[in-house]
Each structure stands twice: as C-alpha cells, then as structure tokens.
Amino acid sequence: MSEKSKILIIGGTGYIGKFIVAASAKSGHPTFALVRESAVSNPSKSEIIESFKSSGVTLVYGDLYDHESLVKAIKQVDVVISTVGRAQLSDQVKIIAAIKEAGNVKRFFPSEFGNDVDRVHAVEPAKTAFEIKAQIRRIIEAEGIPYTYVSSNTFAGFFLPTFSQPGATAPPRDKVIILGDGNPKAVFNKEDDIGTYTIKAADDPRTWNKILYIRPPQNTYSFNEIVSLWEKKIGKTLEKIYVPEEQVLKNIQEASVPLNVMLAISHSVFIKGDHTNFEIKPSFGVEASELYPDVKYTTVDEYLNQFV
C-alpha cells in the first residue's frame, strides 16, 4: 500500500466537517484542518479544536478570504476537502483559485454532502443553494481539477431524532406529519459513516472524477416505511397526517429562513424523491456501500433503537 495522502479539511469545525476530520485522523491520513486564529479562542469552537489536537490533527492557521494563507495550506497536502456551510458555498471559487495556484492537489472534494445537485427537482430557496453547488462543480471541471463529489443524502442526525416534526425533541409517539404521500424513498446516513466513506474515497482511483453516492440499501426508506419501523419498535400505531404537495409549497413560501430552506429540501427529498429517483450509472457515479463492503455502517434500524 502506498503511503496515505495528506488531507486538508476547510470548514472542519462545522457540522459535517468535524466528522470528516475525525475519520481522516482515525484512518491514519496525515490530517490538516484550516482554522482561523480567532476560532481557537472562540468558546463554541475550542472543544472541537482540542479534540482535533488530541487526535493528531495539524492545525493550519488561515482563512478562506486570505489567498496567500490558503495557497500555503494547500501546498502542504495532496487532497483538499471543503465542508464549508451554505453561506460560503459560492466562495469556494477562492479555494479553486488557490488549488490552481498551488498546482499540487491530486483531488478536491467541494462542499456537497447532500442531494446530487445535478439531479434535483427543487423549489426555492433550496433551488438556489443547489444551483450554487452545481456552478462550483462546473468551475472545477472547467479548470481540470480532479474531483470527487460526495452525495451523502440526509444526515441521520437531522431527521431521525424527530422525524422532522415541528418543535419535537424526540421521535413521535402519538401522531406524525408526513409530507406528500410518504412513498418516495430517501436515504439517511449517520454522520460518522459519511466521514468514513468520504475518506476512503480520497485515494481510490474508482472515485476519481465521479460522484460518490452514499446509498446503502439498509438506509433507504420511504417516510411511510420509517414510521412503520418505528411503530414496530414502540408497539404502537401512530395517527398519520399527510400534507399534500400544494400545502407544502404554500408552507415553504410562508416560512422564513432557515425553516423555508429545510422545508424546500424536504420537498425535494420526500415528495420529489430526489435521493432515489434515478439510477447510478458507472459513467458518472459509484455507490459507497458497494465499493467499501468492509465498512460496518449504522443502519436506520439500529440508529432508531437509541430513542425507544
């Protein structure tokens, strides 16, 4: 086995970023995290940064908006993974410019980690966020930068603890609101597993210039199927309230940020079925649980046990 690539994560203290940093360090890749100097003294970030240090991660001080610091950080590594949040998606052009100048990057993973943005049927405001990600893809391709796009579908931690029920802090016990008819299948992946699969792809020639879909069969469920699985676990039948698409669209228009974004993404996932309404073809994509059968991923069934 040739030596493992050096990996830089930009946005590593964010929601999915910290799982990717942890997976990289755990798998023995020399791991670098770009952090702003101000983040180190920020109480909300200091715990994450300490955990990086204790797992052997090298902190590189720099900033997305400081070109020289970005180039300097990128020159130390082989692979760059961006996990920046929604507000900074379009600013990834700055990472692309720094990668071009550095000239040494073997693979770039832009901030994706959701739906495949080239295969969505989304309404605003999710539509714009998806379009920005798609624009970043086109720029990467035009610049000839080797890439992998990770389509990890839904973060388990965003949906399964409450089934996205308004104001809930636990999965429903009496009644459940279901968007649409509840039949389109969606995919729910635990964040640690998304980290593991992403890092496995970093040195894998099979994921070069491809979309890596994380679509494990045991994590692919319709909303109705998840409710039914949960009902079996708690030994109780829930009252089901179905919200027709017209009402969902109205709710999106009336909601404010960030609820409207979350509702619009849910519309794409649960009504349009955008996680599973297309076939993964070898010309553009590969599926993670098929490529890495050795990864023991957490299934939806196992994940829900903690809430019973």
Side-chain angles (χ1 to χ4, degrees):
M1 180 75 190
S2 57
E3 65 181 80
K4 296 191 171 194
S5 61
K6 300 184 185 77
I7 298 179
L8 171 71
I9 293 100
I10 299 172
T13 60
Y15 181 78
I16 196 63
K18 57 185 179 291
F19 293 99
I20 291 172
V21 172
S24 179
K26 191 177 169 188
S27 63
H29 284 269
T31 303
F32 300 75
L34 185 81
V35 291
R36 288 189 300 273
E37 294 205 37
S38 60
V40 181
S41 54
N42 177 343
S44 70
K45 301 284 183 193
S46 56
E47 198 178 319
I48 298 171
I49 288 170
E50 280 312 311
S51 77
F52 289 175
K53 286 183 187 164
S54 61
S55 56
V57 174
T58 304
L59 299 181
V60 185
Y61 296 110
D63 194 305
L64 187 54
Y65 305 102
D66 174 354
H67 181 71
E68 276 174 38
S69 73
L70 214 46
V71 173
K72 194 176 159 196
I74 289 168
K75 278 188 169 166
Q76 300 177 57
V77 300
D78 309 299
V79 174
V80 176
I81 301 176
S82 168
T83 58
V84 300
R86 203 173 66 240
Q88 294 176 305
L89 288 173
S90 57
D91 294 331
Q92 290 180 106
V93 291
K94 298 180 187 302
I95 301 173
I96 294 168
I99 287 173
K100 285 296 282 185
E101 186 174 321
N104 58 296
V105 169
K106 299 194 178 102
R107 194 88 64 96
F108 177 41
F109 291 66
S111 188
E112 289 262 347
F113 308 105
N115 292 21
D116 174 7
V117 295
D118 284 332
R119 292 168 181 82
V120 284
H121 307 80
V123 297
E124 292 297 1
K127 188 170 185 260
T128 297
F130 291 156
E131 280 170 356
I132 293 168
K133 286 184 177 182
Q135 283 161 7
I136 292 294
R137 288 184 177 191
R138 303 295 86 82
I139 297 166
I140 291 165
E141 292 153 11
E143 293 289 359
I145 296 168
Y147 63 83
T148 301
Y149 306 142
V150 179
S151 175
S152 57
N153 299 304
T154 296
F155 298 144
F158 271 23
F159 179 83
L160 294 175
T162 62
F163 292 17
S164 284
Q165 300 299 295
T169 53
R173 296 260 169 183
D174 299 304
K175 62 180 179 194
V176 58
I177 296 167
I178 297 171
L179 304 184
D181 62 11
N183 292 327
K185 289 192 189 281
V187 187
F188 309 87
N189 292 306
K190 193 176 181 190
E191 291 77 355
D192 311 72
D193 296 333
I194 294 170
T196 302
Y197 285 128
T198 300
I199 297 303
K200 279 199 166 280
D203 287 343
D204 189 341
R206 298 173 298 174
T207 60
W208 188 78
N209 289 357
K210 291 274 196 285
I211 302 168
L212 176 72
Y213 295 93
I214 307 180
R215 203 197 266 187
Q218 289 182 279
N219 286 355
T220 305
Y221 282 82
S222 70
F223 207 137
N224 286 330
E225 287 168 342
I226 285 196
V227 170
S228 136
L229 174 66
W230 177 242
E231 287 176 328
K232 284 195 192 82
K233 287 187 185 296
I234 61 172
K236 190 177 175 192
T237 303
L238 303 179
E239 179 197 341
K240 296 164 194 72
I241 300 157
Y242 290 91
V243 184
E245 181 175 15
E246 306 75 63
Q247 185 60 47
V248 174
L249 293 171
K250 193 163 172 279
N251 295 349
I252 292 167
Q253 285 175 338
E254 289 170 1
S256 48
V257 179
L259 181 61
N260 58 351
V261 183
M262 285 150 69
L263 276 174
I265 293 171
S266 294
H267 172 265
S268 156
V269 173
F270 294 113
I271 294 178
K272 294 301 182 188
D274 283 341
H275 286 175
T276 57
N277 60 13
F278 60 93
E279 189 189 334
I280 299 168
K281 297 207 166 101
S283 58
F284 61 80
V286 286
E287 198 284 311
S289 66
E290 284 176 16
L291 283 192
Y292 313 113
D294 54 314
V295 173
K296 172 82 186 73
Y297 64 87
T298 299
T299 65
V300 166
D301 193 334
E302 291 162 344
Y303 192 96
L304 285 174
N305 288 336
Q306 64 186 302
F307 305 113
V308 176

